[in-house]
């Protein structure tokens, strides 16, 4: 057989897309992201950063507290924006990081989900005096400071049990159990039903809040993940 005939050169191939083509590709990519990729990617990021699993676990634990106590709402708050104040080293704000609302009850008012510490200063000082070993009962009363009365009335709370979460003696969070009826109030918070189980759940919530406080930076976590640590 002789040599194969040479094919003519086609020259350089130039591809171009019109604006309409780019728009269609963009729309297809956006639909693919929304329909298939977004949930997977966000779940992966949440798992990597350790936030999604923690949040679900926290919500489950708060729901257990709500069911065990028959409360109308359970709220877990975290203190942040640290700095030096007239009281020493302290946090300046408290924000609700997770909550449970029983069936037929309203969630916390939006204004109550992020507050300056000064709004709960007196109650916080009482909680600090009690330490992390017991619950503190707060009843709606005209004797309470006005900001505290406003908080309870705004959220339909007749009374609540509060307890601090501490890290080396420093308050870093607060757990509140809300009730909208005075019938179940007791002056002995330790008499709450299922006390031993509640204590175990409180310790687990404390561990999660402390873990968030001490968790390495995002950059460090990404590096550890890349390094396989």
């Amino acid at each position: 057989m002789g040599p194969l005939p040479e094919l003519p050169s086609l020259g350089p191939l130039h591809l171009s897309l019109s604006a309409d083509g780019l728009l269609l590709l963009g729309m297809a990519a956006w639909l693919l992201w929304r329909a298939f990729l977004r949930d997977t990617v966000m779940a992966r990021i949440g798992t990597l950063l350790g936030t999604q699993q923690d949040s679900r676990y926290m919500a489950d634990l708060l729901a257990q507290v709500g069911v065990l106590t028959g409360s109308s709402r359970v709220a877990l708050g975290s203190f942040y924006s640290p700095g030096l104040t007239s009281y020493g080293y302290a946090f300046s704000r408290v924000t609700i990081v997770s909550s449970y609302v029983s069936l037929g009850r309203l969630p916390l008012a939006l204004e109550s989900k992020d507050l300056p510490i000064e709004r709960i200063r007196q109650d916080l000082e009482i909680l600090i005096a009690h330490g992390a070993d017991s619950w503190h009962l707060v009843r709606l009363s005209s004797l309470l400071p006005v900001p505290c009365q406003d908080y309870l009335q705004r959220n339909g709370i007749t009374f609540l049990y509060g307890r601090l979460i501490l890290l080396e003696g420093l308050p870093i969070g607060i757990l509140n159990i809300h009730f909208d009826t005075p019938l179940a109030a007791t002056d002995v918070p330790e008499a709450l039903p299922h006390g031993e189980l509640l204590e175990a759940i409180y310790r687990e919530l404390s561990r999660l809040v402390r873990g968030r406080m001490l968790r390495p930076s995002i950059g460090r976590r990404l590096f550890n993940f890349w390094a396989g640590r």
Side-chain angles (χ1 to χ4, degrees), residues 184-201:
T186 171
D187 292 324
V188 184
E190 289 73 17
L192 282 166
H194 309 284
E196 291 186 3
L197 184 52
L198 286 178
E199 187 67 22
I201 295 174

Side-chain angles (χ1 to χ4, degrees), residues 15-226:
L15 296 177
S16 62
L17 289 174
S18 66
D20 290 342
L22 289 173
L23 180 61
L24 289 174
L25 281 177
M27 291 179 62
W30 180 80
L31 290 173
L32 180 64
W33 166 258
R34 289 295 300 269
F36 302 105
L37 298 180
R38 183 179 63 172
D39 291 343
T40 301
V41 172
M42 295 308 293
R44 182 61 175 163
I45 292 175
T47 301
L48 170 62
L49 300 182
T51 54
Q52 187 179 72
Q53 291 176 336
D54 281 358
S55 296
R56 289 176 177 173
Y57 188 32
M58 281 184 177
D60 288 343
L61 292 173
L62 295 181
Q64 291 182 49
V65 173
V67 172
L68 290 173
T69 59
S71 55
S72 57
R73 189 189 302 113
V74 185
L76 177 65
S78 180
F79 302 150
Y80 67 103
S81 293
L84 289 174
T85 69
S86 57
Y87 297 92
Y89 183 82
F91 296 93
S92 62
R93 301 193 70 83
V94 56
T95 186
I96 300 301
V97 296
S98 189
S99 63
Y100 162 80
V101 182
S102 65
L103 187 64
R105 304 302 198 278
L106 293 175
L108 275 171
L110 184 61
E111 300 86 349
S112 302
K113 292 186 176 181
D114 187 271
L115 295 171
I117 289 291
E118 291 302 324
R119 291 286 303 273
I120 61 170
R121 173 64 61 186
Q122 182 173 339
D123 192 39
L124 183 58
E125 290 175 350
I126 296 174
L127 284 170
I128 292 174
H130 281 74
D133 296 328
S134 63
W135 298 91
H136 172 57
L137 172 64
V138 178
R139 295 176 183 268
L140 178 59
S141 166
S142 59
L143 300 178
L144 292 174
V146 173
C148 188
Q149 292 184 52
D150 178 67
Y151 176 86
L152 297 176
Q153 291 173 344
R154 183 188 299 273
N155 293 288
I157 302 170
T158 304
F159 69 98
L160 63 81
Y161 293 107
R163 190 166 177 180
L164 286 179
I165 295 173
L166 303 177
L167 175 64
E168 298 298 331
L170 178 69
I172 60 172
I174 185 170
L175 179 63
N176 282 337
I177 306 175
H178 301 166
F179 294 84
D180 58 7
T181 171
L183 299 179
T186 171
D187 292 324
V188 184
E190 289 73 17
L192 282 166
H194 309 284
E196 291 186 3
L197 184 52
L198 286 178
E199 187 67 22
I201 295 174
Y202 164 78
R203 289 196 299 268
E204 186 65 5
L205 286 168
S206 298
R207 183 188 67 80
L208 292 172
V209 174
R210 287 194 295 266
R212 283 191 169 197
M213 185 69 63
L214 299 174
R215 181 175 292 146
S217 65
I218 292 177
R220 171 57 61 180
R221 276 176 274 160
L222 289 172
F223 173 77
N224 291 343
F225 176 78
W226 174 78

